[in-house]
Coordinates of all heavy atoms in Angstrom, one line a residue:
M1 N 176.8 -33.0 -60.5 CA 177.8 -32.9 -61.5 C 177.1 -33.6 -62.9 O 176.2 -34.5 -62.7 CB 178.9 -34.0 -61.1 CG 180.0 -34.2 -62.2 SD 181.4 -35.0 -61.4 CE 182.3 -35.3 -62.8
I2 N 177.3 -33.0 -63.9 CA 176.7 -33.3 -65.2 C 177.6 -34.5 -65.7 O 178.9 -34.4 -65.9 CB 176.7 -32.2 -66.2 CG1 175.9 -31.1 -65.6 CG2 176.2 -32.6 -67.5 CD1 175.8 -29.8 -66.4
K3 N 177.0 -35.6 -66.2 CA 177.7 -36.6 -66.8 C 177.8 -36.3 -68.3 O 177.1 -35.5 -68.9 CB 177.0 -38.0 -66.6 CG 176.8 -38.3 -65.3 CD 176.1 -39.7 -65.2 CE 176.0 -40.1 -63.6 NZ 175.3 -41.4 -63.5
G4 N 178.7 -37.0 -68.9 CA 179.0 -36.7 -70.4 C 177.8 -37.1 -71.3 O 177.5 -36.3 -72.3
T5 N 177.0 -38.1 -70.9 CA 175.9 -38.4 -71.7 C 174.7 -37.4 -71.6 O 174.1 -37.0 -72.6 CB 175.3 -39.8 -71.3 OG1 174.9 -39.8 -70.0 CG2 176.2 -40.9 -71.7
E6 N 174.6 -36.9 -70.4 CA 173.6 -35.7 -70.2 C 174.0 -34.4 -71.0 O 173.2 -33.9 -71.6 CB 173.5 -35.4 -68.8 CG 172.8 -36.4 -67.9 CD 172.6 -35.9 -66.6 OE1 172.9 -34.9 -66.1 OE2 172.5 -36.9 -65.7
L7 N 175.4 -34.1 -71.0 CA 175.8 -33.0 -71.8 C 175.6 -33.2 -73.3 O 175.2 -32.3 -73.9 CB 177.3 -32.6 -71.4 CG 177.9 -31.5 -72.0 CD1 177.1 -30.2 -71.6 CD2 179.4 -31.4 -71.6
G8 N 175.8 -34.3 -73.7 CA 175.8 -34.6 -75.1 C 174.4 -34.6 -75.6 O 174.1 -34.0 -76.6
S9 N 173.4 -35.1 -74.8 CA 172.1 -35.0 -75.2 C 171.5 -33.6 -75.2 O 170.8 -33.2 -76.0 CB 171.2 -36.0 -74.4 OG 171.1 -35.4 -73.1
N10 N 171.9 -32.8 -74.2 CA 171.4 -31.3 -74.2 C 172.0 -30.5 -75.4 O 171.4 -29.8 -75.9 CB 171.9 -30.7 -72.9 CG 171.2 -31.1 -71.7 OD1 170.1 -31.6 -71.9 ND2 171.7 -30.9 -70.5
W11 N 173.3 -30.9 -75.7 CA 173.9 -30.3 -76.8 C 173.2 -30.5 -78.1 O 172.9 -29.7 -78.9 CB 175.5 -30.7 -76.9 CG 176.1 -30.1 -78.2 CD1 176.5 -30.8 -79.2 CD2 176.4 -28.8 -78.4 NE1 177.0 -30.0 -80.1 CE2 177.0 -28.7 -79.6 CE3 176.3 -27.6 -77.7 CZ2 177.5 -27.5 -80.2 CZ3 176.8 -26.4 -78.3 CH2 177.4 -26.4 -79.4
L12 N 172.8 -31.8 -78.2 CA 172.1 -32.2 -79.5 C 170.7 -31.5 -79.6 O 170.3 -31.2 -80.7 CB 171.9 -33.7 -79.5 CG 173.2 -34.6 -79.8 CD1 172.8 -36.0 -79.6 CD2 173.6 -34.2 -81.2
N13 N 170.0 -31.3 -78.4 CA 168.7 -30.8 -78.4 C 168.9 -29.3 -78.8 O 168.2 -28.6 -79.5 CB 168.1 -30.7 -77.0 CG 167.6 -32.1 -76.6 OD1 167.4 -32.9 -77.6 ND2 167.5 -32.5 -75.4
I14 N 170.0 -28.6 -78.3 CA 170.2 -27.2 -78.8 C 170.5 -27.1 -80.2 O 169.9 -26.3 -80.9 CB 171.4 -26.5 -77.9 CG1 171.0 -26.4 -76.5 CG2 171.8 -25.3 -78.5 CD1 172.1 -26.1 -75.6
V15 N 171.5 -27.9 -80.8 CA 171.7 -28.0 -82.1 C 170.5 -28.2 -83.0 O 170.2 -27.6 -83.9 CB 172.8 -29.0 -82.5 CG1 173.0 -29.2 -83.9 CG2 174.1 -28.5 -81.8
S16 N 169.7 -29.2 -82.4 CA 168.4 -29.6 -83.3 C 167.5 -28.3 -83.3 O 166.9 -28.0 -84.3 CB 167.8 -30.8 -82.6 OG 166.6 -31.0 -83.1
W17 N 167.2 -27.6 -82.2 CA 166.4 -26.5 -82.1 C 166.8 -25.4 -83.0 O 166.0 -24.7 -83.7 CB 166.4 -25.9 -80.5 CG 165.4 -24.9 -80.3 CD1 164.0 -25.0 -80.2 CD2 165.8 -23.6 -80.2 NE1 163.6 -23.6 -80.1 CE2 164.7 -22.8 -80.0 CE3 167.0 -22.8 -80.2 CZ2 164.6 -21.5 -79.9 CZ3 167.0 -21.5 -80.1 CH2 165.8 -20.8 -79.9
T18 N 168.1 -25.1 -83.0 CA 168.7 -23.9 -83.8 C 168.4 -24.3 -85.2 O 168.1 -23.4 -86.0 CB 170.0 -23.6 -83.4 OG1 170.9 -24.7 -83.6 CG2 170.2 -23.0 -82.2
S19 N 168.7 -25.6 -85.7 CA 168.5 -25.9 -87.2 C 167.1 -25.8 -87.5 O 166.7 -25.4 -88.6 CB 169.1 -27.3 -87.4 OG 168.4 -28.3 -86.8
Q20 N 166.1 -26.2 -86.5 CA 164.7 -26.0 -86.8 C 164.3 -24.5 -87.0 O 163.6 -24.2 -87.9 CB 163.9 -26.6 -85.7 CG 163.9 -28.1 -85.7 CD 163.1 -28.6 -84.4 OE1 162.8 -27.9 -83.7 NE2 163.0 -30.0 -84.5
K21 N 164.9 -23.6 -86.3 CA 164.5 -22.2 -86.4 C 165.1 -21.6 -87.7 O 164.4 -20.8 -88.2 CB 165.1 -21.4 -85.1 CG 164.5 -21.8 -83.7 CD 163.1 -21.4 -83.8 CE 162.9 -20.0 -83.3 NZ 161.5 -19.6 -83.1
S22 N 166.2 -22.1 -88.1 CA 166.7 -21.5 -89.4 C 166.0 -22.1 -90.6 O 166.0 -21.4 -91.5 CB 168.2 -21.9 -89.4 OG 168.4 -23.3 -89.6
Q23 N 165.3 -23.3 -90.4 CA 164.5 -23.8 -91.5 C 163.1 -23.2 -91.7 O 162.3 -23.4 -92.7 CB 164.4 -25.3 -91.5 CG 165.8 -26.0 -91.7 CD 165.7 -27.5 -91.4 OE1 164.7 -27.9 -91.0 NE2 166.8 -28.2 -91.6
E24 N 162.6 -22.5 -90.6 CA 161.3 -21.9 -90.6 C 161.3 -20.7 -91.6 O 162.3 -20.1 -91.7 CB 161.0 -21.5 -89.1 CG 160.7 -22.6 -88.1 CD 160.4 -22.1 -86.8 OE1 160.3 -20.8 -86.6 OE2 160.2 -22.9 -85.9
T25 N 160.2 -20.8 -92.2 CA 160.0 -19.6 -93.1 C 159.4 -18.5 -92.5 O 158.7 -18.5 -91.4 CB 159.1 -20.0 -94.4 OG1 157.9 -20.5 -93.8 CG2 159.8 -21.2 -95.1
A26 N 159.4 -17.3 -93.1 CA 158.8 -16.1 -92.6 C 157.2 -16.4 -92.5 O 156.7 -17.1 -93.4 CB 159.1 -14.9 -93.4
P27 N 156.5 -15.7 -91.6 CA 155.1 -15.8 -91.6 C 154.5 -15.3 -92.8 O 155.0 -14.3 -93.4 CB 154.7 -15.0 -90.3 CG 155.8 -14.2 -90.0 CD 157.0 -14.9 -90.6
P28 N 153.3 -15.9 -93.4 CA 152.8 -15.2 -94.6 C 152.3 -13.9 -94.4 O 151.9 -13.4 -93.2 CB 151.5 -16.3 -94.8 CG 151.3 -16.8 -93.5 CD 152.5 -16.8 -92.7
A29 N 152.3 -13.1 -95.4 CA 151.8 -11.7 -95.3 C 150.3 -11.6 -95.0 O 149.7 -12.6 -95.5 CB 152.1 -11.0 -96.6
P30 N 149.8 -10.7 -94.2 CA 148.4 -10.7 -93.9 C 147.7 -10.3 -95.1 O 148.2 -9.6 -96.0 CB 148.4 -9.6 -92.9 CG 149.6 -8.7 -93.0 CD 150.7 -9.6 -93.6
T31 N 146.5 -11.0 -95.2 CA 145.7 -10.8 -96.3 C 145.0 -9.4 -96.1 O 144.5 -9.1 -95.0 CB 144.6 -11.8 -96.6 OG1 143.8 -12.0 -95.3 CG2 145.2 -13.1 -96.8
P32 N 144.8 -8.7 -97.2 CA 144.2 -7.3 -97.0 C 142.7 -7.5 -96.8 O 142.0 -8.5 -97.2 CB 144.4 -6.5 -98.4 CG 144.7 -7.7 -99.3 CD 145.3 -8.8 -98.5
A33 N 142.1 -6.6 -96.1 CA 140.6 -6.6 -95.7 C 139.9 -6.4 -97.0 O 140.3 -5.7 -97.9 CB 140.3 -5.5 -94.7
P34 N 138.7 -7.1 -97.2 CA 138.0 -6.8 -98.3 C 137.4 -5.5 -98.4 O 137.2 -4.8 -97.5 CB 136.8 -7.9 -98.2 CG 136.8 -8.3 -96.8 CD 138.1 -8.0 -96.3
R35 N 137.5 -5.0 -99.7 CA 137.0 -3.7 -99.9 C 135.5 -3.6 -99.5 O 134.7 -4.5 -99.8 CB 137.1 -3.2 -101.4 CG 138.5 -3.1 -101.7 CD 138.6 -2.3 -103.1 NE 138.0 -1.1 -103.0 CZ 137.9 -0.3 -104.0 NH1 138.3 -0.7 -105.2 NH2 137.3 0.9 -103.8
R36 N 135.1 -2.4 -98.9 CA 133.8 -2.3 -98.4 C 132.8 -1.7 -99.6 O 133.3 -0.8 -100.3 CB 133.9 -1.2 -97.2 CG 132.6 -1.2 -96.4 CD 132.9 -0.3 -95.2 NE 131.8 0.5 -95.1 CZ 131.7 1.5 -94.2 NH1 132.8 1.6 -93.4 NH2 130.7 2.3 -94.0
Y37 N 131.7 -2.4 -99.7 CA 130.8 -2.0 -100.7 C 129.9 -0.7 -100.3 O 129.4 -0.8 -99.2 CB 129.9 -3.1 -101.2 CG 128.9 -2.7 -102.2 CD1 129.4 -2.6 -103.4 CD2 127.6 -2.5 -101.9 CE1 128.4 -2.3 -104.5 CE2 126.6 -2.1 -102.7 CZ 127.1 -2.1 -104.1 OH 126.2 -1.5 -105.1
R38 N 130.1 0.2 -101.1 CA 129.4 1.4 -100.7 C 128.4 1.9 -101.7 O 128.6 1.8 -102.9 CB 130.3 2.6 -100.5 CG 131.4 2.3 -99.6 CD 131.7 3.1 -98.4 NE 131.2 4.3 -98.2 CZ 130.8 4.7 -97.0 NH1 130.9 3.8 -96.0 NH2 130.3 5.8 -96.8
C39 N 127.1 2.2 -101.4 CA 126.1 2.7 -102.3 C 125.1 3.5 -101.4 O 125.1 3.6 -100.2 CB 125.3 1.4 -102.9 SG 124.3 0.5 -101.7
R40 N 124.4 4.5 -102.1 CA 123.5 5.4 -101.5 C 122.2 4.6 -101.2 O 121.7 3.9 -102.1 CB 123.2 6.6 -102.4 CG 124.5 7.4 -102.6 CD 124.2 8.7 -103.4 NE 123.2 9.4 -102.5 CZ 123.7 10.5 -101.7 NH1 124.9 10.6 -101.4 NH2 122.7 11.1 -101.0
L41 N 121.8 4.7 -100.0 CA 120.5 4.1 -99.6 C 119.7 5.2 -98.9 O 119.0 4.8 -97.8 CB 120.7 2.9 -98.7 CG 121.4 1.8 -99.4 CD1 121.7 0.7 -98.4 CD2 120.8 1.2 -100.6
D42 N 119.7 6.4 -99.3 CA 119.0 7.6 -98.6 C 117.5 7.6 -99.0 O 116.7 8.2 -98.2 CB 119.7 8.9 -99.0 CG 121.1 8.9 -98.6 OD1 121.5 8.2 -97.5 OD2 121.9 9.5 -99.2
T43 N 117.1 7.1 -100.1 CA 115.8 7.3 -100.7 C 115.2 5.9 -101.0 O 116.1 4.9 -101.2 CB 115.6 8.2 -101.8 OG1 116.3 7.7 -102.9 CG2 116.1 9.6 -101.6
A44 N 113.9 5.7 -101.2 CA 113.3 4.5 -101.6 C 113.9 4.2 -103.1 O 114.0 3.0 -103.4 CB 111.9 4.6 -101.5
T45 N 114.1 5.2 -103.9 CA 114.5 4.9 -105.2 C 116.0 4.4 -105.2 O 116.4 3.4 -105.9 CB 114.5 6.3 -106.0 OG1 113.2 6.8 -105.9 CG2 115.1 6.2 -107.4
D46 N 116.8 5.0 -104.2 CA 118.2 4.3 -104.0 C 118.1 2.8 -103.7 O 118.8 2.0 -104.2 CB 119.0 5.0 -103.1 CG 119.3 6.5 -103.4 OD1 119.3 6.8 -104.6 OD2 119.5 7.4 -102.6
V47 N 117.2 2.5 -102.8 CA 117.1 1.1 -102.2 C 116.5 0.3 -103.4 O 117.1 -0.8 -103.8 CB 116.1 1.1 -101.1 CG1 116.0 -0.4 -100.6 CG2 116.9 1.8 -99.9
R48 N 115.5 0.7 -104.2 CA 115.0 0.0 -105.3 C 116.1 -0.3 -106.4 O 116.2 -1.4 -106.8 CB 113.9 0.8 -106.0 CG 113.3 0.1 -107.2 CD 112.3 0.9 -108.0 NE 112.7 2.3 -108.2 CZ 113.3 2.7 -109.3 NH1 113.8 1.6 -110.2 NH2 113.8 3.9 -109.5
R49 N 116.9 0.7 -106.6 CA 118.1 0.4 -107.6 C 118.9 -0.7 -107.1 O 119.4 -1.5 -107.8 CB 118.8 1.8 -107.7 CG 119.9 1.7 -108.8 CD 120.4 3.2 -109.0 NE 119.4 4.2 -109.4 CZ 119.2 5.2 -108.7 NH1 119.9 5.5 -107.6 NH2 118.3 6.1 -109.0
E50 N 119.2 -0.7 -105.7 CA 120.1 -1.7 -105.2 C 119.5 -3.0 -105.2 O 120.1 -4.1 -105.6 CB 120.4 -1.4 -103.7 CG 121.5 -2.2 -103.2 CD 122.8 -2.2 -103.7 OE1 123.1 -1.3 -104.6 OE2 123.7 -3.1 -103.5
M51 N 118.3 -3.1 -105.0 CA 117.4 -4.3 -105.2 C 117.5 -4.9 -106.6 O 117.7 -6.1 -106.8 CB 116.0 -4.2 -104.6 CG 115.8 -4.1 -103.2 SD 114.0 -3.8 -102.8 CE 113.8 -4.9 -101.5
Q52 N 117.3 -4.0 -107.4 CA 117.5 -4.4 -108.9 C 118.8 -4.9 -109.2 O 119.0 -6.0 -109.9 CB 117.2 -3.3 -109.8 CG 115.7 -2.8 -109.9 CD 115.5 -1.5 -110.5 OE1 116.4 -0.7 -110.7 NE2 114.3 -1.3 -111.0
R53 N 119.9 -4.3 -108.7 CA 121.3 -4.8 -108.9 C 121.5 -6.3 -108.3 O 121.9 -7.1 -108.9 CB 122.3 -3.8 -108.2 CG 123.7 -4.3 -108.6 CD 124.7 -3.6 -107.8 NE 124.6 -3.9 -106.3 CZ 125.0 -4.9 -105.7 NH1 125.8 -5.8 -106.3 NH2 124.9 -5.1 -104.5
I54 N 120.9 -6.5 -107.2 CA 121.0 -7.8 -106.4 C 120.2 -8.8 -107.3 O 120.7 -9.9 -107.6 CB 120.5 -7.7 -105.0 CG1 121.5 -6.9 -104.1 CG2 120.2 -9.0 -104.4 CD1 120.9 -6.5 -102.7
Y55 N 119.1 -8.4 -107.7 CA 118.3 -9.4 -108.6 C 119.0 -9.8 -109.9 O 119.1 -10.9 -110.3 CB 116.9 -8.7 -108.9 CG 116.1 -9.4 -110.0 CD1 115.4 -10.5 -109.5 CD2 116.1 -9.1 -111.2 CE1 114.8 -11.3 -110.5 CE2 115.4 -9.8 -112.3 CZ 114.6 -11.0 -111.9 OH 114.0 -11.6 -112.8
R56 N 119.6 -8.8 -110.5 CA 120.4 -9.0 -111.8 C 121.6 -9.9 -111.4 O 121.7 -11.0 -112.3 CB 120.7 -7.8 -112.4 CG 119.7 -7.0 -113.1 CD 120.3 -6.0 -114.0 NE 121.1 -5.0 -113.2 CZ 120.6 -4.0 -112.6 NH1 119.4 -3.5 -112.6 NH2 121.5 -3.0 -111.9
E57 N 122.3 -9.7 -110.4 CA 123.4 -10.6 -110.1 C 123.0 -11.9 -109.6 O 123.7 -12.9 -110.0 CB 124.2 -9.8 -109.0 CG 124.9 -8.6 -109.5 CD 125.9 -8.0 -108.4 OE1 125.9 -8.5 -107.2 OE2 126.4 -6.9 -108.6
S58 N 121.9 -12.1 -109.1 CA 121.4 -13.3 -108.7 C 121.0 -14.2 -109.9 O 121.3 -15.2 -110.1 CB 120.2 -13.3 -107.6 OG 119.7 -14.5 -107.5
R59 N 120.3 -13.6 -110.8 CA 119.8 -14.1 -112.1 C 121.0 -14.5 -112.9 O 120.9 -15.5 -113.7 CB 118.9 -13.2 -112.9 CG 117.5 -13.0 -112.3 CD 116.6 -14.1 -112.6 NE 116.5 -14.4 -113.9 CZ 115.6 -15.0 -114.5 NH1 114.6 -15.4 -113.7 NH2 115.5 -15.2 -115.8
S60 N 122.1 -13.8 -112.9 CA 123.3 -14.1 -113.7 C 124.2 -15.1 -113.0 O 125.3 -15.3 -113.4 CB 124.2 -12.8 -113.9 OG 123.3 -11.9 -114.6
Q61 N 123.8 -15.4 -111.8 CA 124.5 -16.4 -111.0 C 125.9 -16.0 -110.4 O 126.9 -16.6 -110.3 CB 124.8 -17.8 -111.7 CG 123.4 -18.4 -112.0 CD 123.7 -19.7 -112.7 OE1 124.6 -20.1 -113.2 NE2 122.5 -20.5 -112.8
M62 N 125.9 -14.7 -110.4 CA 127.2 -13.9 -109.7 C 127.2 -14.0 -108.3 O 128.2 -14.0 -107.7 CB 127.3 -12.5 -110.3 CG 127.4 -12.3 -111.6 SD 127.1 -10.6 -112.2 CE 128.6 -9.8 -111.5
I63 N 126.0 -14.1 -107.6 CA 125.8 -14.3 -106.2 C 124.8 -15.3 -105.9 O 124.0 -15.6 -106.8 CB 125.4 -13.0 -105.4 CG1 124.0 -12.4 -105.9 CG2 126.5 -11.9 -105.5 CD1 123.6 -11.2 -105.2
S64 N 124.7 -16.0 -104.8 CA 123.9 -17.1 -104.6 C 122.5 -16.4 -104.4 O 122.3 -15.4 -103.8 CB 124.3 -17.9 -103.5 OG 124.2 -17.1 -102.2
V65 N 121.5 -17.4 -104.5 CA 120.1 -17.0 -104.3 C 119.9 -16.7 -102.8 O 119.1 -15.8 -102.4 CB 119.1 -17.9 -104.8 CG1 117.7 -17.7 -104.4 CG2 119.2 -18.1 -106.2
D66 N 120.7 -17.5 -101.8 CA 120.5 -17.3 -100.5 C 121.0 -15.9 -100.0 O 120.3 -15.3 -99.4 CB 121.3 -18.4 -99.7 CG 120.8 -19.8 -99.9 OD1 119.6 -19.9 -100.2 OD2 121.5 -20.8 -99.8
H67 N 122.2 -15.5 -100.6 CA 122.7 -14.2 -100.2 C 121.6 -13.1 -100.8 O 121.4 -12.1 -100.1 CB 124.1 -13.9 -100.8 CG 125.1 -14.7 -100.0 ND1 125.9 -15.7 -100.5 CD2 125.5 -14.5 -98.8 CE1 126.7 -16.1 -99.6 NE2 126.5 -15.4 -98.5
A68 N 121.2 -13.3 -102.1 CA 120.4 -12.3 -102.6 C 119.0 -12.2 -101.8 O 118.6 -11.0 -101.6 CB 120.0 -12.7 -104.0
S69 N 118.6 -13.3 -101.2 CA 117.4 -13.2 -100.5 C 117.5 -12.4 -99.1 O 116.8 -11.7 -98.7 CB 116.9 -14.6 -100.2 OG 115.8 -14.6 -99.2
K70 N 118.7 -12.7 -98.5 CA 119.1 -12.0 -97.2 C 119.2 -10.6 -97.4 O 118.6 -9.8 -96.7 CB 120.3 -12.5 -96.6 CG 120.1 -14.1 -96.1 CD 121.4 -14.6 -95.6 CE 121.2 -16.2 -95.3 NZ 122.6 -16.8 -95.0
W71 N 120.0 -10.1 -98.5 CA 120.1 -8.7 -98.8 C 118.8 -8.1 -99.1 O 118.6 -7.0 -98.7 CB 121.2 -8.5 -100.0 CG 122.6 -9.0 -99.4 CD1 123.1 -9.2 -98.3 CD2 123.6 -9.5 -100.2 NE1 124.3 -9.8 -98.2 CE2 124.7 -9.9 -99.5 CE3 123.7 -9.7 -101.7 CZ2 125.9 -10.3 -100.0 CZ3 125.0 -10.2 -102.1 CH2 126.0 -10.5 -101.3
A72 N 118.1 -8.7 -99.9 CA 116.7 -8.1 -100.3 C 115.9 -7.9 -99.0 O 115.2 -6.9 -99.0 CB 116.1 -9.0 -101.3
N73 N 115.9 -8.8 -98.2 CA 115.0 -8.6 -96.9 C 115.6 -7.5 -96.1 O 114.9 -6.7 -95.6 CB 115.2 -9.8 -96.1 CG 114.2 -11.0 -96.6 OD1 113.2 -10.6 -97.3 ND2 114.6 -12.3 -96.4
M74 N 117.0 -7.3 -96.0 CA 117.6 -6.2 -95.3 C 117.2 -4.8 -95.9 O 116.8 -3.9 -95.3 CB 119.1 -6.3 -95.2 CG 119.5 -7.4 -94.3 SD 121.3 -7.2 -94.0 CE 121.9 -8.2 -95.4
L75 N 117.2 -4.9 -97.3 CA 116.8 -3.7 -98.0 C 115.3 -3.3 -97.9 O 114.8 -2.2 -97.8 CB 117.1 -3.9 -99.5 CG 118.7 -3.7 -99.9 CD1 118.9 -4.2 -101.3 CD2 119.2 -2.5 -99.6
S76 N 114.5 -4.4 -97.7 CA 113.0 -4.1 -97.4 C 112.8 -3.4 -96.1 O 112.1 -2.5 -96.0 CB 112.3 -5.4 -97.5 OG 112.3 -6.1 -98.7
L77 N 113.6 -3.8 -95.1 CA 113.6 -3.2 -93.8 C 114.1 -1.6 -93.9 O 113.4 -0.8 -93.2 CB 114.4 -3.9 -92.8 CG 113.9 -5.3 -92.5 CD1 115.1 -6.1 -91.6 CD2 112.7 -5.3 -91.8
I78 N 115.1 -1.5 -94.7 CA 115.6 -0.2 -94.9 C 114.4 0.8 -95.6 O 114.2 1.9 -95.2 CB 116.8 -0.1 -95.6 CG1 118.0 -0.6 -94.9 CG2 117.2 1.4 -96.2 CD1 119.3 -1.0 -95.7
V79 N 113.8 0.2 -96.6 CA 112.8 1.1 -97.2 C 111.7 1.4 -96.2 O 111.1 2.4 -96.4 CB 112.1 0.2 -98.5 CG1 110.8 0.7 -98.9 CG2 113.1 0.2 -99.5
R80 N 111.2 0.3 -95.5 CA 110.2 0.6 -94.5 C 110.7 1.6 -93.5 O 109.7 2.6 -93.1 CB 110.0 -0.7 -93.7 CG 108.7 -0.6 -92.9 CD 108.3 -1.8 -92.1 NE 108.4 -3.0 -92.9 CZ 108.6 -4.3 -92.5 NH1 108.6 -4.5 -91.2 NH2 108.7 -5.2 -93.3
A81 N 111.9 1.7 -93.1 CA 112.3 2.9 -92.2 C 112.4 4.2 -92.9 O 112.0 5.2 -92.3 CB 113.7 2.5 -91.7
I82 N 112.8 4.2 -94.2 CA 112.7 5.5 -94.9 C 111.3 5.9 -95.1 O 111.0 7.2 -94.8 CB 113.3 5.2 -96.4 CG1 114.8 5.0 -96.3 CG2 112.9 6.4 -97.4 CD1 115.5 4.5 -97.5
E83 N 110.3 5.1 -95.4 CA 109.0 5.4 -95.5 C 108.3 6.0 -94.2 O 107.7 7.0 -94.2 CB 108.0 4.3 -95.9 CG 108.4 3.8 -97.4 CD 107.7 2.6 -97.8 OE1 107.2 1.8 -96.9 OE2 107.6 2.3 -99.0
T84 N 108.6 5.3 -93.1 CA 108.2 5.7 -91.7 C 108.7 7.2 -91.5 O 108.1 8.1 -90.9 CB 108.6 4.8 -90.7 OG1 108.1 3.4 -91.1 CG2 108.2 5.1 -89.3
T85 N 110.0 7.3 -91.7 CA 110.6 8.6 -91.4 C 110.0 9.8 -92.3 O 109.6 10.7 -91.8 CB 112.2 8.5 -91.7 OG1 112.8 7.5 -91.0 CG2 112.8 9.8 -91.5
E86 N 109.7 9.3 -93.6 CA 108.9 10.5 -94.5 C 107.6 10.7 -93.9 O 107.2 11.9 -94.0 CB 109.1 9.9 -95.9 CG 108.4 10.8 -96.9 CD 109.1 12.0 -97.1 OE1 110.4 12.1 -96.8 OE2 108.5 13.0 -97.5
I87 N 106.9 9.8 -93.6 CA 105.6 10.0 -92.9 C 105.5 10.9 -91.7 O 104.8 11.8 -91.5 CB 104.8 8.6 -92.7 CG1 104.5 7.9 -94.0 CG2 103.6 8.8 -91.9 CD1 104.0 6.5 -93.9
E88 N 106.6 10.5 -90.8 CA 106.8 11.3 -89.6 C 107.1 12.8 -89.9 O 106.5 13.7 -89.4 CB 107.8 10.7 -88.8 CG 107.5 9.5 -88.1 CD 108.7 8.9 -87.3 OE1 109.7 9.5 -87.4 OE2 108.4 8.0 -86.4
R89 N 108.0 13.0 -91.0 CA 108.2 14.3 -91.3 C 107.0 15.1 -91.8 O 106.7 16.2 -91.5 CB 109.4 14.3 -92.4 CG 109.9 15.5 -92.8 CD 110.8 15.6 -93.9 NE 110.3 15.1 -95.1 CZ 109.5 15.8 -95.9 NH1 109.3 17.1 -95.6 NH2 109.0 15.4 -97.1
R90 N 106.2 14.5 -92.6 CA 105.0 15.0 -93.3 C 104.1 15.3 -92.2 O 103.4 16.4 -92.1 CB 104.5 14.2 -94.3 CG 105.2 14.1 -95.5 CD 104.5 13.3 -96.6 NE 105.4 13.1 -97.8 CZ 105.0 12.5 -98.9 NH1 103.8 11.9 -98.9 NH2 105.8 12.4 -100.0
L91 N 103.8 14.4 -91.2 CA 102.9 14.6 -90.1 C 103.3 15.7 -89.3 O 102.5 16.6 -88.8 CB 102.7 13.2 -89.3 CG 101.7 13.4 -88.2 CD1 100.4 13.6 -88.7 CD2 101.8 12.0 -87.5
D92 N 104.6 15.9 -89.0 CA 105.1 17.0 -88.2 C 104.9 18.3 -88.9 O 104.5 19.4 -88.2 CB 106.6 16.8 -87.8 CG 106.8 15.8 -86.9 OD1 105.9 15.3 -86.1 OD2 108.1 15.3 -86.9
A93 N 105.1 18.4 -90.2 CA 104.8 19.6 -90.9 C 103.3 20.0 -91.0 O 103.1 21.1 -90.8 CB 105.3 19.4 -92.4
I94 N 102.4 18.9 -91.0 CA 101.0 19.2 -90.9 C 100.6 19.7 -89.6 O 99.8 20.7 -89.3 CB 100.3 18.0 -91.3 CG1 100.4 17.7 -92.7 CG2 98.7 18.1 -91.0 CD1 99.8 16.2 -93.2
E95 N 101.1 19.1 -88.6 CA 100.8 19.6 -87.2 C 101.4 21.0 -86.8 O 100.8 21.8 -86.1 CB 101.3 18.5 -86.1 CG 100.6 17.2 -86.2 CD 101.2 16.2 -85.2 OE1 102.4 16.5 -84.7 OE2 100.5 15.1 -85.0
A96 N 102.4 21.4 -87.5 CA 103.0 22.7 -87.3 C 102.2 23.7 -87.9 O 102.0 24.8 -87.4 CB 104.5 22.7 -87.8
R97 N 101.6 23.3 -89.0 CA 100.6 24.4 -89.6 C 99.4 24.6 -88.9 O 98.8 25.6 -88.9 CB 100.3 23.8 -91.0 CG 101.4 24.3 -92.1 CD 100.9 24.0 -93.4 NE 101.3 22.7 -93.9 CZ 100.8 21.9 -94.9 NH1 99.8 22.4 -95.5 NH2 101.2 20.8 -95.0
G98 N 98.9 23.6 -88.3 CA 97.5 23.6 -87.7 C 97.6 23.9 -86.3 O 97.3 24.7 -85.5

C-alpha cells in the first residue's frame, strides 16, 4: 500500500521532471564541415607554386610557422614522388627502345 507521503514525493518528482524538460532548449545546430582546400599537385611546378603560397601566408602571419613547416615538408615528399615517377617513366621509355 502506498502511503500519502510516498505518493506526494513521487508526484513532485514527476512535476519537477516535466518542468525541467520544458525548460530545455533545442540542441545546437551542427557546425558545417570546413571546406576542403583543393589545389593541383600533379607536377613539380604545381607543388612549387603551392610552396610559394604557403611561404607568403607564413610571412604575412596568416598561418603559423609550425603549420607552414609541416605543409612544406609534406610538399617536399610529394615533389620527390613526382620526380621518382618521372624518372621511372623515362627509364621505361629508354628500355623499350633498346
Side-chain angles (χ1 to χ4, degrees):
M1 181 168 172
I2 300 175
K3 295 182 180 179
T5 57
E6 290 178 17
L7 181 61
S9 67
N10 286 339
W11 175 251
L12 287 175
N13 288 338
I14 292 171
V15 170
S16 173
W17 180 77
T18 56
S19 66
Q20 287 174 352
K21 291 299 266 183
S22 64
Q23 292 175 356
E24 289 179 6
T25 60
T31 56
R35 290 192 59 187
R36 197 168 131 186
Y37 179 75
R38 311 237 345 140
C39 66
R40 295 187 62 88
L41 298 175
D42 297 331
T43 65
T45 303
D46 294 338
V47 176
R48 178 184 51 83
R49 191 174 301 122
E50 186 65 13
M51 286 177 135
Q52 290 170 335
R53 184 190 67 79
I54 289 170
Y55 171 78
R56 285 190 305 272
E57 289 182 4
S58 177
R59 289 285 301 206
S60 301
Q61 297 178 352
M62 295 170 64
I63 60 173
S64 71
V65 175
D66 293 336
H67 283 113
S69 176
K70 290 174 187 176
W71 294 336
N73 285 331
M74 285 189 277
L75 290 169
S76 296
L77 294 173
I78 292 170
V79 165
R80 193 176 317 158
I82 290 170
E83 291 170 345
T84 302
T85 303
E86 181 65 20
I87 290 169
E88 287 177 347
R89 186 186 64 76
R90 289 180 183 187
L91 185 59
D92 288 343
I94 291 171
E95 288 176 349
R97 277 191 265 162

